[in-house]
């Protein structure tokens, strides 16, 4: 597959056309932002590490019957994916309290939730991705009821698969964000799954192995991302 023109520049990834209109190339960058772009920086080797982590996780999900946009790793920093029409709804699943959930509800971080929480956010950078519910989604035609039940079911299934797999690698899946899209009418998982879009904690020490190290200036950011990769690559 031949790489063609740059189509879109994101905060952490760039997207290129290919010679096949059904496929795109995603380039993972070292650039990092937080707090809706207010904080900016670079995380050394992040692009390469996140490409490899996302590749491992998309393959795991595909092996478990989840359709994703992943086609193959294209180069160290690039992934070849099916082109999706991305739904403007982001889905967050939470197993343990942290981040905006703790802030919004005034609960300490690290509480195991009785059942997973699923939240929807309107994918709009200019509006800072506000939280929405199903009524907003239907009222604004962001997705159909069938699509919402599809993404809900997929998000919980992905949570079960990832939670179990990460625990086998001595990590807790605290929470994560998913994006879905349509490839010729078929609903599938898009974007990336990496320490940029998930919270991973060491299962025994609860050390943070994700982008919170960057957001909160905790240091050891590259080391934490590399540790996640090392554990996922381990037998
Ligand atoms: P939050 O606690 O800040 O709402 O984040 C919940 C999860 O979603 C966390 O794993 C990080 C991920 N996330 C993104 O991938 N992109 C974002 O823009 C935000 C705010 C969170």
């Amino acid at each position: 597959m031949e790489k063609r023109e740059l189509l879109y520049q994101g905060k952490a990834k760039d997207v290129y056309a290919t010679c096949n209109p059904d496929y795109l190339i995603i380039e993972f960058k070292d650039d990092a932002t937080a707090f809706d772009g207010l904080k900016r920086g670079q995380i050394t080797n992040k692009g390469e590490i996140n490409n490899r982590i996302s590749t491992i996780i998309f393959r795991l999900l595909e092996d478990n019957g989840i359709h994703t946009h992943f086609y193959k790793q294209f180069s160290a920093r690039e992934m070849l994916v099916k082109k999706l029409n991305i739904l403007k709804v982001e889905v967050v699943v939470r197993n343990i309290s942290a981040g905006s959930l703790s802030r919004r509800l005034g609960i300490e971080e690290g509480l195991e939730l009785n059942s997973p929480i699923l939240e929807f956010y309107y994918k709009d950078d200019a509006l800072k991705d506000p939280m929405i519910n199903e009524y907003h989604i239907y009222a604004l035609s962001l997705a159909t009821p069938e699509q919402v039940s599809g993404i809900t079911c997929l998000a919980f299934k992905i949570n079960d698969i990832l939670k179990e797999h990460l625990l086998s690698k001595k990590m807790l899946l605290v929470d994560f964000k998913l994006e879905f899209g349509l490839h010729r009418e078929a609903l599938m998982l898009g974007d990336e799954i990496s320490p940029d879009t998930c919270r991973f904690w060491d299962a025994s020490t609860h050390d943070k192995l994700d982008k919170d190290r960057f957001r909160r200036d905790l240091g050891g950011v590259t080391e934490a991302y590399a540790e996640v990769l090392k554990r996922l690559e381990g037998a």
Side-chain angles (χ1 to χ4, degrees):
M1 196 83 61
E2 198 182 301
K3 189 173 173 185
R4 295 262 171 93
E5 76 275 13
L6 176 67
L7 295 176
Y8 168 79
Q9 272 190 303
K11 288 180 282 193
K13 301 186 287 294
D14 290 339
V15 179
Y16 292 86
T18 68
C19 52
N20 183 331
D22 272 340
Y23 288 82
L24 299 172
I25 287 171
I26 296 178
E27 184 181 331
F28 289 76
K29 303 190 284 192
D30 289 351
D31 299 347
T33 66
F35 314 120
D36 300 301
L38 275 180
K39 181 180 170 81
R40 288 170 188 276
Q42 295 251 317
I43 300 173
T44 311
N45 289 337
K46 173 169 86 77
E48 205 170 318
I49 297 172
N50 277 357
N51 191 24
R52 286 166 69 185
I53 292 174
S54 279
T55 293
I56 291 169
I57 293 181
F58 281 135
R59 286 198 177 124
L60 170 76
L61 295 175
E62 290 278 353
D63 288 347
N64 282 276
I66 306 279
H67 295 299
T68 78
H69 69 160
F70 177 80
Y71 186 68
K72 66 173 192 177
Q73 198 179 330
F74 189 72
S75 73
R77 285 175 179 273
E78 293 167 316
M79 182 184 280
L80 183 61
V81 299
K82 292 177 209 115
K83 183 174 181 174
L84 303 188
N85 278 321
I86 290 283
L87 298 174
K88 293 190 77 172
V89 178
E90 298 187 356
V91 185
V92 168
V93 179
R94 303 176 188 271
N95 298 303
I96 295 173
S97 62
S100 70
L101 177 79
S102 290
R103 278 199 304 279
R104 202 168 49 243
L105 301 185
I107 48 177
E108 63 182 284
E109 291 207 324
L111 294 181
E112 194 173 329
L113 301 166
N114 290 333
S115 48
I117 293 175
L118 184 137
E119 298 167 344
F120 296 117
Y121 292 85
Y122 180 36
K123 183 174 160 60
D124 187 315
D125 275 347
L127 296 175
K128 303 183 179 173
D129 300 342
M131 191 194 272
I132 53 174
N133 64 30
E134 289 181 52
Y135 293 98
H136 299 92
I137 295 177
Y138 305 140
L140 303 174
S141 299
L142 302 179
T144 65
E146 291 71 30
Q147 287 164 351
V148 170
S149 66
I151 62 181
T152 301
C153 185
L154 284 168
F156 283 127
K157 200 168 162 198
I158 291 166
N159 187 40
D160 289 342
I161 297 164
L162 281 186
K163 211 167 51 173
E164 187 189 322
H165 189 74
L166 288 159
L167 199 54
S168 76
K169 309 286 180 184
K170 310 268 185 289
M171 289 180 278
L172 297 178
L173 179 61
V174 173
D175 54 33
F176 58 100
K177 187 260 300 177
L178 301 172
E179 296 186 22
F180 294 90
L182 298 172
H183 179 74
R184 302 176 172 179
E185 313 284 298
L187 185 66
M188 49 186 83
L189 178 67
D191 196 44
E192 67 179 288
I193 301 193
S194 74
D196 270 9
T197 61
C198 306
R199 286 193 175 94
F200 300 130
W201 290 358
D202 178 88
S204 34
T205 64
H206 287 194
D207 276 352
K208 297 181 196 311
L209 301 172
D210 55 61
K211 196 171 154 189
D212 270 348
R213 302 204 74 84
F214 168 79
R215 294 189 189 97
R216 303 178 190 190
D217 295 320
L218 299 177
V221 190
T222 296
E223 291 77 5
Y225 281 55
E227 178 64 24
V228 172
L229 177 61
K230 187 177 130 200
R231 292 190 195 189
L232 289 174
E233 281 180 336

